[in-house]
Amino acid sequence: MIKINRLYSEPEIFTPISFDFGVNIIMGEKSEKTNKKIGVGKSVCIEFINFCLLKRISDSRLNLIPKKNAEIIESQIKLDFDFNNKKVIISRSISKPEQVSIQIDGEHIHFDKLDDASEYLGNLYFEKYPANTKRLSFRNLLQPIIRDERSEFKDLIKCFDTNKSIPSDYSPHLFFLNVGLQKYTEIKSLNVDLKKKNTFYSETKKLVTNNSEIKIQDAKAHLNELESEVGKVNKAIEQLKTNESFELIQEDLVKLEVKLADLRTKQQAIKFEIKQIDSFPKPESINENEIQIIFNQFKKGLGDLVERSLDDLKDFKNKIDSFRNSIVNDRLISLKSELSEINSIVRKLDEEYSEKISLLDNGEVLKDLKASIRVFNEKNRELNNLRSLIQKYDESERSKKKLEAEKAVLISDLEEELYKNQETLKSFKESILSIHERIMGNREAHFEIKTTKNQSIVDFIMRTDDDGSHSTERMKVFIYDISLMLNEYTRENHPRFLIHDNIFEDDDSIEKSLNFLFEYNNKTPNEFQYIVTLNSDLIESASKNERLLFKVDDLKRASFTKDNRFLGMKYNETK
């Protein structure tokens, strides 16, 4: 059992708040200047309690307090509470949220990591249980215990801010009911594996079916055809290799291929050189008359220095042209001759290669060994790829079906366990009906737990009179939470404290709900602790008309107004 005694801070940033067994009200009231009661600090007060009970700062509204408010950020927030007959004080600061100081019966323990502190308190909570008991984390236990207003009290299981997409977790609820937690955990873990298998199965199916363009059966039929084609080509190649002449000729074929490759390289080189020679400019043709004119001009200008005759000049030009033509023509003739010779050799080697191939090829299956091997490789690659994909598809389908079968067995086991624990569930249902009758005036309500095949695994079905409306849904959550805390079976595992932040919306529900809890506490004192925040106008009417069985001031633990805020100041939460 957990019983909160006192919330305070060092240095003091708010007036300490003491709590007792039974009903504890944190009130929002009007001030002399305004009737507004929102924004006075009721929810922040609850956030400080939750923070001391190891709520992560990233999930808390305290993370939105502006950093400029250093006094608040640096102060040590402290919570004094009884925990399984031990005196505990937890201390944390917003500035260093991972660091947790825990004092138990006067002994101080410091943690640098929040998870370590949570594990420590979780072990402390479960120390009275057998070693084989399925354990939950400390924070996991508190999920249904502390509901803030951002949950809007729309759902029995979803206790978080409605703006956050947090999956439903039935673990603490099943633990309090002492039914099916182990099987639920196993199925939950199996669901994670099954989700991975389903993803792999779907992706593999897309590859096999080419994004659903063909059916799986068609892909498998194509696989059979490929296997047949590859088998035929492979058989033909193997027949050639087993031929006696193959081993005798194989080495010759390799040598011929090397020679042919070398000669074809030379062919390309010679053709390139011939092309270059053909691109050379031809000697310019100059007639004798032009040469004579140029010669006379030079001779006139140079006088006696030029003694050579025009005939000598002509002779010199002819020698130059002849020399050039001789070199180019001789090289061109040589290259063409060499090319012709190589072409002849290549033709002969090609003929020889074809003859040797023909010795291996009977003409029925293979016409070219290299081409056949290439076809074989391509078909074989396609075959292996498709075979691998289909094999992965079949394996993933089998694995998926195996996990689904395991899940079906576990769900069946869970159903059997629910059936065997009908006494607990019947008692819990009776608690719901009894509280419903006390508050709603009738027993027109229902509760049951069913297994499902979807991700939630189980479904808590609860119906109340005229359910569906906003305020009635809130009362449904209230009745369920109170039943969990007070039922003779579920209270054994329950911490037996409960916090509701702004759950009530009308004075009638407040009157009947709080009267019920007040009466229950008078009959069986010190059995539970209920902390609730509400605005004074919702309870004023019932109080004035004396419909309440108690004086509000007797249960009021703190009162905040616009002039007297919880933290003594107004601030805007950061975004």
Side-chain angles (χ1 to χ4, degrees):
M1 180 177 182
I2 294 176
K3 185 245 175 180
I4 296 174
N5 297 317
R6 186 166 176 257
L7 175 69
Y8 62 105
S9 61
E10 293 180 357
E12 188 174 293
I13 58 173
F14 57 84
T15 302
I17 305 173
S18 296
F19 300 91
D20 204 346
F21 283 108
V23 179
N24 298 262
I25 299 174
I26 297 175
M27 190 81 77
E29 300 188 85
K30 62 184 179 180
S31 66
E32 293 181 359
K33 297 179 181 179
T34 178
N35 289 331
K36 292 183 178 180
K37 307 165 195 70
I38 60 172
V40 296
K42 303 188 305 296
S43 296
V44 175
C45 175
I46 299 302
E47 281 297 307
F48 272 115
I49 296 175
N50 219 342
F51 182 67
C52 288
L53 291 174
L54 308 187
K55 184 176 183 178
R56 292 192 180 278
I57 189 69
S58 57
D59 298 328
S60 173
R61 289 176 62 177
L62 303 186
N63 197 36
L64 305 179
I65 296 176
K67 304 303 179 187
K68 65 181 181 180
N69 300 103
E71 186 180 6
I72 299 174
I73 301 297
E74 298 296 332
S75 179
Q76 289 291 319
I77 315 302
K78 293 176 174 286
L79 187 69
D80 179 323
F81 60 98
D82 296 335
F83 190 3
N84 292 346
N85 299 319
K86 298 180 187 294
K87 292 292 184 181
V88 180
I89 298 176
I90 292 183
S91 179
R92 289 177 76 189
S93 72
I94 298 173
S95 62
K96 298 176 181 178
E98 281 293 309
Q99 296 183 10
V100 183
S101 176
I102 301 179
Q103 179 182 332
I104 298 184
D105 291 339
E107 180 184 354
H108 291 268
I109 307 172
H110 183 77
F111 298 92
D112 290 322
K113 291 183 179 180
L114 187 65
D115 288 341
D116 293 342
S118 180
E119 183 180 1
Y120 175 80
L121 289 180
N123 291 335
L124 196 66
Y125 191 90
F126 281 97
E127 67 178 2
K128 66 178 181 179
Y129 290 88
N132 62 348
T133 302
K134 177 63 183 175
R135 298 190 173 196
L136 302 176
S137 71
F138 183 69
R139 281 305 306 178
N140 200 193
L141 278 169
L142 300 184
Q143 283 178 14
I145 305 303
I146 307 175
R147 296 188 191 248
D148 69 61
E149 61 181 347
R150 292 174 298 178
S151 71
E152 299 182 21
F153 305 95
K154 289 181 174 180
D155 191 275
L156 300 182
I157 308 303
K158 293 182 178 180
C159 318
F160 305 101
D161 187 342
T162 55
N163 291 324
K164 296 181 179 180
S165 299
I166 301 175
S168 299
D169 185 5
Y170 289 81
S171 299
H173 303 266
L174 293 172
F175 172 70
F176 297 147
L177 287 162
N178 195 27
V179 56
L181 177 58
Q182 182 64 44
K183 290 290 184 289
Y184 171 80
T185 306
E186 290 177 20
I187 298 171
K188 196 173 181 181
S189 176
L190 193 145
N191 274 343
V192 174
D193 294 337
L194 189 56
K195 185 177 180 181
K196 293 177 181 177
K197 290 292 183 186
N198 279 328
T199 301
F200 183 75
Y201 170 80
S202 298
E203 292 300 321
T204 308
K205 186 177 181 180
K206 284 182 182 179
L207 293 173
V208 173
T209 61
N210 196 20
N211 283 325
S212 301
E213 289 185 6
I214 61 173
K215 296 180 180 179
I216 288 291
Q217 294 81 357
D218 295 333
K220 290 184 175 182
H222 183 54
L223 176 66
N224 294 332
E225 177 62 20
L226 277 176
E227 286 177 340
S228 175
E229 291 177 4
V230 170
K232 289 177 181 178
V233 176
N234 186 54
K235 183 178 179 181
I237 292 174
E238 290 301 319
Q239 285 177 347
L240 288 175
K241 289 185 176 180
T242 55
N243 192 312
E244 292 180 0
S245 58
F246 181 83
E247 293 184 0
L248 298 174
I249 299 171
Q250 189 177 31
E251 187 175 349
D252 292 339
L253 286 172
V254 173
K255 289 179 180 179
L256 284 172
E257 287 176 353
V258 172
K259 286 181 181 180
L260 283 168
D262 183 56
L263 288 171
R264 289 191 173 107
T265 301
K266 288 182 179 180
Q267 277 180 320
Q268 296 300 320
I270 293 171
K271 288 178 180 178
F272 180 74
E273 190 173 350
I274 291 173
K275 186 177 181 181
Q276 284 185 316
I277 292 174
D278 287 338
S279 67
F280 286 169
K282 299 190 181 299
E284 189 174 354
S285 177
I286 304 174
N287 61 43
E288 291 185 6
N289 194 30
E290 290 173 339
I291 292 175
Q292 185 175 359
I293 293 170
I294 293 171
F295 178 78
N296 289 334
Q297 288 177 350
F298 272 94
K299 187 173 181 182
K300 182 178 180 181
L302 298 174
D304 296 336
L305 292 175
V306 180
E307 297 180 357
R308 297 278 182 181
S309 67
L310 179 59
D311 292 333
D312 292 334
L313 180 60
K314 292 178 182 179
D315 184 55
F316 178 71
K317 176 184 179 300
N318 290 333
K319 286 181 180 180
I320 293 296
D321 290 343
S322 178
F323 178 72
R324 177 189 179 282
N325 291 336
S326 176
I327 293 175
V328 173
N329 291 336
D330 288 348
R331 178 59 179 163
L332 188 59
I333 292 170
S334 174
L335 288 173
K336 288 184 177 180
S337 175
E338 185 178 359
L339 179 61
S340 177
E341 185 178 347
I342 290 175
N343 288 342
S344 178
I345 296 172
V346 167
R347 281 194 298 273
K348 290 180 180 179
L349 290 177
D350 272 335
E351 290 174 0
E352 184 178 353
Y353 186 85
S354 298
E355 288 176 2
K356 290 185 180 293
I357 285 292
S358 66
L359 295 175
L360 302 178
D361 190 356
N362 59 12
E364 293 179 1
V365 181
L366 299 175
K367 294 183 178 179
D368 188 323
L369 182 60
K370 291 192 297 182
S372 299
I373 292 175
R374 185 172 63 251
V375 169
F376 172 78
N377 288 336
E378 290 174 356
K379 288 288 184 181
N380 199 46
R381 186 161 48 248
E382 183 184 356
L383 171 64
N384 289 333
N385 184 47
L386 183 57
R387 181 189 288 140
S388 176
L389 285 174
I390 290 178
Q391 183 177 355
K392 288 178 180 178
Y393 169 81
D394 288 340
E395 288 174 354
S396 65
E397 186 179 36
R398 284 195 298 272
S399 298
K400 183 171 76 73
K401 287 181 178 179
K402 183 179 178 181
L403 289 177
E404 288 171 346
E406 290 178 16
K407 180 178 177 179
V409 171
L410 287 173
I411 289 177
S412 177
D413 292 343
L414 178 57
E415 287 179 346
E416 183 66 19
E417 189 171 342
L418 290 173
Y419 177 76
K420 289 181 179 178
N421 283 273
Q422 283 301 306
E423 184 178 356
T424 299
L425 296 177
K426 185 178 179 180
S427 173
F428 182 67
K429 180 180 176 180
E430 178 57 34
S431 294
I432 288 176
L433 293 175
S434 176
I435 297 173
H436 186 276
E437 184 177 21
R438 178 70 174 80
I439 295 174
M440 310 291 282
N442 58 57
R443 292 173 65 89
E444 194 168 336
H446 175 67
F447 178 83
E448 67 175 311
I449 301 175
K450 283 192 171 184
T451 60
T452 70
K453 293 182 180 180
N454 57 32
Q455 291 295 311
S456 68
I457 304 169
V458 292
D459 186 18
F460 282 27
I461 301 170
M462 184 172 172
R463 294 287 180 266
T464 57
D465 185 24
D466 197 29
D467 62 2
S469 68
H470 192 259
S471 58
T472 306
E473 289 302 305
R474 285 173 170 254
M475 288 312 301
K476 182 188 295 184
V477 171
F478 174 82
I479 293 171
Y480 171 81
D481 285 355
I482 295 298
S483 298
L484 270 184
M485 182 172 65
L486 301 182
N487 176 264
E488 60 177 322
Y489 290 100
T490 58
R491 69 184 179 189
E492 294 302 315
N493 289 341
H494 198 283
R496 276 185 273 175
F497 88 96
L498 180 63
I499 298 178
H500 283 159
D501 180 21
N502 290 325
I503 189 172
F504 296 113
E505 287 193 326
D506 60 78
D507 56 358
D508 185 56
S509 61
I510 289 178
E511 172 202 333
K512 293 178 179 178
S513 299
L514 297 187
N515 277 342
F516 165 77
L517 290 174
F518 179 77
E519 278 188 312
Y520 191 97
N521 186 55
N522 283 343
K523 292 177 182 177
T524 54
N526 305 335
E527 286 293 318
F528 74 93
Q529 184 179 53
Y530 180 66
I531 299 174
V532 61
T533 66
L534 53 87
N535 292 322
S536 59
D537 55 343
L538 292 177
I539 204 169
E540 282 178 352
S541 175
S543 179
K544 288 179 180 179
N545 295 326
E546 297 182 349
R547 296 197 305 269
L548 296 177
L549 302 177
F550 56 88
K551 291 182 179 180
V552 175
D553 287 343
D554 291 342
L555 304 183
K556 190 193 304 182
R557 308 306 176 200
S559 175
F560 306 120
T561 68
K562 289 290 185 179
D563 296 331
N564 179 35
R565 300 172 190 269
F566 170 61
L567 291 175
M569 67 174 71
K570 179 182 179 180
Y571 65 86
N572 294 320
E573 292 183 343
T574 59
K575 293 183 179 180

